[in-house]
Amino acid sequence: MSDPAVPTFASVAIDCPDPLALADFYSRLLGWEVSADDPTGEWVNVRPPSGGPSIDFQRAAGFVAPTWPDPAVQQQLHIDFDVADLAAGHVRAIELGATLLDVQDTFHVFADPVGHPFCLCAA
């Protein structure tokens, strides 16, 4: 029996200047569905079709993009995504608007359209 006091992971929220636009990028990258139930447009999420944790996007007034690897503005967080074909995933990310930041043997580091770093990792 599980302990009802132990939390489960439900989502990660990412600050951004335009929640719907950034949700659209991740929706296309991951093949997930956009859910924009907040009529104010301040909060949008993408959900995996099979269920599980979502990625949420919230409007942040005065948003300042991370400059990683330059330490001027720390990355704050990054998300790792596994991909079966790293080369094909790389091309897909760039075509969708990601910016390449670094290439390693087993993972590539990108910035999403507003500067948040994320990695595609060889599965």
Side-chain angles (χ1 to χ4, degrees):
M1 183 160 135
S2 65
D3 182 342
V6 175
T8 58
F9 182 70
S11 66
V12 62
I14 299 176
D15 289 352
C16 61
D18 183 342
L20 188 56
L22 195 55
D24 182 62
F25 168 78
Y26 280 99
S27 171
R28 291 182 293 131
L29 179 72
L30 300 169
W32 291 10
E33 296 294 320
V34 173
S35 175
D37 298 331
D38 177 3
T40 68
E42 298 295 308
W43 187 272
V44 178
N45 56 50
V46 294
R47 298 182 181 285
S50 59
S54 63
I55 303 174
D56 303 336
F57 305 92
Q58 64 183 359
R59 187 176 317 277
F63 173 77
V64 177
T67 57
W68 186 90
D70 177 346
V73 179
Q74 291 295 318
Q75 68 177 333
Q76 300 149 23
L77 108 115
H78 77 270
I79 302 174
D80 290 344
F81 299 106
D82 289 344
V83 63
D85 184 334
L86 186 55
H90 175 111
V91 169
R92 177 180 176 81
I94 296 295
E95 287 175 347
L96 292 172
T99 301
L100 181 64
L101 298 178
D102 191 22
V103 173
Q104 299 294 320
D105 290 338
T106 59
F107 64 94
H108 296 182
V109 183
F110 299 88
D112 68 23
V114 299
H116 299 291
F118 69 92
C119 295
L120 293 182
C121 305

